[in-house]
Amino acid sequence: MWTLPGGAPARDVRPVLPDGCVDLLWTDGRLLVAGPDTHAFVPERADAGWAGVRFAPGDAPAVLGVPAHEVSDRRVPLADLWPATRVRPLAARVARAATTSPGSALEELALRLAAAAPRPDPLLRAVVTRLDAGWTVAATAEASGLGARQLHRRSLDAFGYGPKTLARILRLQRALALVRRGVPYAAAAPAAGCTDQAHLAREMRALTGMTLTAYAVSPPPPPPPPPPAPASVRASASASVSAYNSTPEPSGSSTTA
């Protein structure tokens, strides 16, 4: 779970890069769903406060009941996906805590929704694990017992894009994670699976619309996440959804749970 306090200058907000995740958001008294991105997203209103719960790649469709490709590159009001009669009491519950701890209220809501949802498909979680480990799409499909077309179709529903795009996004995130730890681009690129720094630069521009130079001078990333939640909370969440901790929260945010 992450929060972004209101009033942050626009220049201090780091663009949200593609990471394969879906977020449940709270801002301006509304519940929104942020679909999986295929390019960098910059919040339109840097002055607005935000709270979000991030779902691991492939987990959100089971909770939200909507294929991921239907919300790709979109910020959609939850009321556009669910009946308004269902969303209003959920929004009211978060709103009651908005002045003190909207993030905690949103997290509690997400845990309730996750507990009532089907468990994430272990096959799709294995797909993410293999692609994030650098497996090829062909090897991942074979290990999963799926044909290429089956894997592509199921990936669109689960992740919002095909397995090749997901693999590229995960590789980019691996490289940027190394860069955030101080590894030079020239070393981070091959360590993450790119041919060289030039390859990483092309992927950065293709997947985010940003250059490596622009990323380097953008605001610093947020502080690291806090220690894991108590076991009882983790158990409740993991029944249907898992946090994706390899991707940092949006710039200016702070974790509160």
Side-chain angles (χ1 to χ4, degrees):
M1 192 271 293
W2 56 267
T3 59
L4 178 65
R11 65 179 182 276
D12 291 341
V13 178
R14 177 184 287 263
V16 180
L17 305 187
D19 56 13
C21 299
V22 173
D23 290 46
L24 179 64
L25 306 174
W26 174 261
T27 186
D28 281 345
R30 296 187 302 159
L31 289 166
L32 305 173
V33 173
D37 292 318
T38 58
H39 55 77
F41 172 79
V42 180
E44 296 179 358
R45 291 190 54 196
D47 62 315
W50 294 78
V53 172
R54 179 157 296 172
F55 294 88
D59 283 2
V63 178
L64 301 175
V66 177
H69 65 80
E70 291 190 7
V71 293
S72 292
D73 290 320
R74 300 171 63 197
R75 271 61 185 165
V76 185
L78 186 59
D80 288 354
L81 305 177
W82 291 357
T85 52
R86 183 183 182 190
V87 176
R88 276 196 297 268
L90 300 179
R93 184 180 304 165
V94 179
R96 284 194 291 270
T99 57
T100 55
S101 184
S104 296
L106 185 66
E107 183 180 39
E108 180 182 354
L109 170 61
L111 289 173
R112 288 177 179 271
L113 296 176
R119 289 177 178 270
D121 188 339
L123 184 147
L124 293 172
R125 284 194 166 179
V127 166
V128 176
T129 299
R130 291 181 178 117
L131 292 177
D132 200 22
W135 286 38
T136 65
V137 172
T140 299
E142 182 177 359
S144 303
L146 299 174
R149 290 184 179 180
Q150 285 180 303
L151 178 59
H152 187 81
R153 183 172 60 252
R154 294 186 67 170
S155 294
L156 287 177
D157 288 343
F159 313 124
Y161 21 65
K164 184 174 182 179
T165 299
L166 177 63
R168 292 173 64 200
I169 287 172
L170 294 176
R171 181 177 61 191
L172 176 64
Q173 287 293 345
R174 291 197 302 274
L176 296 181
L178 291 172
V179 170
R180 288 192 293 271
R181 294 203 295 267
V183 178
Y185 283 119
C194 292
T195 305
D196 51 25
Q197 183 174 339
H199 181 197
L200 174 60
R202 291 193 298 271
E203 288 291 89
M204 183 73 172
R205 184 180 288 278
L207 292 171
T208 72
M210 297 178 65
T211 64
L212 293 177
T213 300
Y215 180 79
V217 300
S218 61
S232 59
V233 175
R234 294 199 306 272
S236 298
S238 63
S240 296
V241 64
S242 63
Y244 192 51
N245 292 326
S246 65
T247 301
E249 294 77 9
S251 178
S253 68
S254 60
T255 53
T256 60

